[in-house]
Amino acid sequence: MTRSHHRPRIAICGMAIESSTFSPHRSGWEAFTLLRGNELVRRYPFLRDGTPLRREAEWVGVLRAGALPGGAVPTDVYESVRTQIGLALEAQGPFDGVLLDIHGAMSVLGYTDAEADLARSVRAAVGPDCLVSASMDLHGNVSRELATTVDLIACHRMAAHEDDDEARQRAATDLLHRIDGAGRPHKAWVQVPVLLPGERTSTRLEPAKGIYEDVARVGALDGVLDASLWGGYAWADEPRCRAAVVVTGDDPAVLTREAERLARRYWDARDEFGFVAPAGTYEECLAAVLASDARPFVLSDSGDNPMAGGAGDVTWTLARLLAEPAFAVPPEEGGRSGIYASLPDADAARTVADAGVGAVVEVRAGARFDDGPHGPVTLRGVVERVRRDDPVGGIVCVVAVGGLKVVLTERRRPYHLESDFTAIGLDPRGTDVVVVKIGNLETELFDMAEDWMLMLTPGGVDQDLLRLRHTNLGGPVHPFDPPQSFGDGPNLTPELL
């Protein structure tokens, strides 16, 4: 086809969410932010005005729907976004390439491989000659169908995620290089029957640290365009959920050799992956806090981590904290100070906000979505802060219950940055214990904490995977199946796609 322009035209589109099939929460339209046009293009630092990549191509922001992690996506929401992307690609084309921005762990009601379905729809809209490059989270899942449908595929190499934009830039740069004349590369793909939570595969620690350094080394070899290793998403019950390796490039012998070696290394290390921090039950973690002088001592309420797909409103841990004698009175009366961030409940947040700062309130809150581990809790305390315009949480209130300050929000909201706390008048550095709904601490929290532990608590993203009772993995998959299920070991011979 003869084109009237000189620079390649590249579409940007996608749908990105990490969603747990074990959470009763549903990620509807209210969960998603839709970006189009230049607003979408400028979302990426490497494509902002004046950057080299921005000048090398005409980047067209078609549509990206992105959401905080949560529960499964309703069928109609996903299918509407898919249709909008397909129609826009057809209307705004033709394109030389597509940058497909996905997470890789989107669960959609009625589907078992949503990203592959989306990739098929994109391929149908742009035709067989257009190159498609997918950028993914390393906690996504790569089925054979997804790996086959796209031409290039890349993921992060750091967990906690500190290289999100670098991974997307790799996907965009590789796409441009192949459009320039090299064409479609080969892909060596292999799945590894291991499925572990991200908190066990942090690249801050061995063996993941060394394995991902090896991934980067492979990616720099002659004949290799990119090397990626996905750990998979542990809180969905779908056949595609497991680790995977894809090595992309032009030398099939090198690609297959290195993909198998990386897969073998991951499999051989399967029993060596430990939690990123000391982990224990609620009772063990609280005992450690009370015996420690570290301040702040951060505890991860990991089973309901909203940034992994938890409902965010599980009250199991908060109910216990509210009953702890250590927090019954504030520090000035001899108690301990604590922050609990956060508990979403729209009705309770509005009630507390309307009562106003200084009011004594009593409200029932939490467990509106996920009441399996524990029902709503009663908050009896003094309103210390009210904010009505938080861009993520909406109404945000701080209720002091003895020495414990409970952050109550209108909408689900993670607390990962020091500014998240100081914006509502809280001083996490000056607090004895900070309990956050997270797993692996994000960088700012990690740097701020004098000590921290991972609480093994119940919820939709329970770290004790066997408690969740997966039934649709199409096993055997470690650690769900006994060693004898694998015989002499899995077949880790890559398939050249």
Side-chain angles (χ1 to χ4, degrees):
M1 177 181 296
T2 300
R3 300 181 186 275
S4 59
H5 53 271
H6 301 289
R7 295 184 302 160
R9 297 189 77 236
I10 299 177
I12 303 174
C13 60
M15 189 171 187
I17 182 174
E18 184 178 60
S19 40
S20 168
T21 63
F22 296 100
S23 171
H25 178 261
R26 294 292 175 260
S27 297
W29 283 114
E30 74 288 342
F32 286 90
T33 299
L34 274 59
L35 297 179
R36 297 178 175 86
N38 283 334
E39 187 180 18
L40 173 53
V41 175
R42 291 175 182 142
R43 177 181 184 272
Y44 307 96
F46 54 90
L47 291 180
R48 288 175 186 157
D49 296 345
T51 57
L53 277 182
R54 180 67 180 269
R55 292 192 296 264
E56 288 183 26
E58 179 188 349
W59 301 89
V60 181
V62 172
L63 171 61
R64 180 187 187 270
L68 291 177
V73 180
T75 310
D76 64 314
V77 173
Y78 164 68
E79 291 180 347
S80 176
V81 172
R82 181 189 64 189
T83 299
Q84 290 182 57
I85 289 174
L87 291 175
L89 286 169
E90 292 174 358
Q92 298 178 49
F95 294 103
D96 300 286
V98 174
L99 180 61
L100 181 62
D101 187 351
I102 56 179
H103 181 285
M106 176 171 62
S107 297
V108 176
L109 298 177
Y111 290 77
T112 57
D113 192 354
E115 276 86 3
D117 181 77
L118 180 61
R120 278 200 315 270
S121 179
V122 167
R123 171 62 68 198
V126 298
D129 297 329
C130 181
L131 295 184
V132 178
S133 179
S135 171
M136 295 178 63
D137 190 292
L138 60 80
H139 298 125
N141 307 294
V142 183
S143 65
R144 184 185 186 280
E145 185 171 11
L146 175 59
T148 301
T149 305
V150 300
D151 301 298
L152 303 104
I153 190 167
C155 73
H156 311 156
R157 292 173 179 166
M158 297 179 72
H161 303 324
E162 298 173 41
D163 65 334
D164 306 43
D165 288 321
E166 289 89 340
R168 294 186 181 100
Q169 186 170 353
R170 277 184 12 241
T173 302
D174 291 346
L175 177 60
L176 267 175
H177 288 167
R178 303 311 288 201
I179 289 173
D180 280 345
R184 282 188 170 82
H186 298 287
K187 291 165 293 185
W189 165 87
V190 57
Q191 288 184 316
V192 187
V194 175
L195 186 60
L196 297 170
E199 287 73 15
R200 281 190 177 271
T201 55
S202 170
T203 58
R204 291 171 179 159
L205 303 174
E206 297 293 353
K209 182 177 185 292
I211 291 173
Y212 276 89
E213 287 172 352
D214 204 14
V215 171
R217 183 196 64 79
V218 172
L221 292 175
D222 288 341
V224 175
L225 181 65
D226 187 85
S228 289
L229 190 160
W230 291 260
Y233 180 65
W235 296 294
D237 193 13
E238 299 169 345
R240 62 179 178 149
C241 295
R242 61 201 65 209
V245 176
V246 178
V247 183
T248 308
D250 296 309
D251 188 330
V254 173
L255 305 183
T256 53
R257 180 193 72 210
E258 295 300 328
E260 182 169 3
R261 198 178 58 77
L262 288 172
R264 176 64 58 188
R265 184 170 179 183
Y266 197 83
W267 168 257
D268 289 345
R270 65 193 180 279
D271 292 318
E272 300 172 22
F273 292 99
F275 283 118
V276 68
T281 64
Y282 169 86
E283 291 76 16
E284 291 167 339
C285 290
L286 187 69
V289 165
L290 297 180
S292 174
D293 293 326
R295 190 183 198 195
F297 198 123
V298 177
L299 296 179
S300 292
D301 186 2
S302 64
D304 191 36
N305 175 11
M307 293 306 287
D313 74 339
V314 171
T315 60
W316 188 91
T317 298
L318 179 57
R320 284 155 177 77
L321 291 170
L322 291 170
E324 286 295 341
F327 301 109
V329 295
E332 57 269 23
E333 297 178 26
R336 293 294 189 100
S337 62
I339 295 172
Y340 185 85
S342 61
L343 183 67
D345 187 309
D347 290 342
R350 294 186 194 107
T351 297
V352 171
D354 290 344
V357 173
V360 177
V361 295
E362 179 174 327
V363 294
R364 295 281 284 172
R368 304 301 183 191
F369 292 110
D370 193 347
D371 63 355
H374 193 278
V377 295
T378 299
L379 296 179
R380 298 186 186 92
V382 178
V383 183
E384 290 199 343
R385 296 286 189 280
V386 172
R387 179 180 179 182
R388 293 181 178 271
D389 61 349
D390 185 274
V392 179
I395 297 171
V396 177
C397 306
V398 178
V399 179
V401 183
L404 188 66
K405 298 182 190 298
V406 180
V407 180
L408 184 64
T409 63
E410 183 181 14
R411 300 189 293 267
R412 299 163 71 244
R413 190 202 197 286
Y415 280 76
H416 292 170
L417 306 175
E418 186 170 2
S419 60
D420 294 337
F421 297 91
T422 58
I424 49 174
L426 296 175
D427 176 20
R429 291 182 184 271
T431 302
D432 293 328
V433 58
V434 176
V435 182
V436 284
K437 290 193 171 182
I438 197 173
N440 190 9
L441 295 189
E442 294 292 335
T443 303
E444 270 198 37
L445 287 181
F446 181 80
D447 291 341
M448 182 176 68
E450 284 198 8
D451 202 352
W452 76 288
M453 289 185 71
L454 191 75
M455 280 197 295
L456 304 179
T457 53
V461 290
D462 196 328
Q463 296 287 331
D464 186 346
L465 299 181
L466 300 187
R467 286 198 297 208
L468 295 174
R469 302 183 182 277
H470 291 68
T471 59
N472 296 312
L473 293 179
V477 175
H478 174 83
F480 304 93
D481 296 283
Q484 57 267 30
S485 301
F486 301 95
D488 295 331
N491 179 8
L492 298 177
T493 303
E495 184 175 353
L496 198 63
L497 303 177

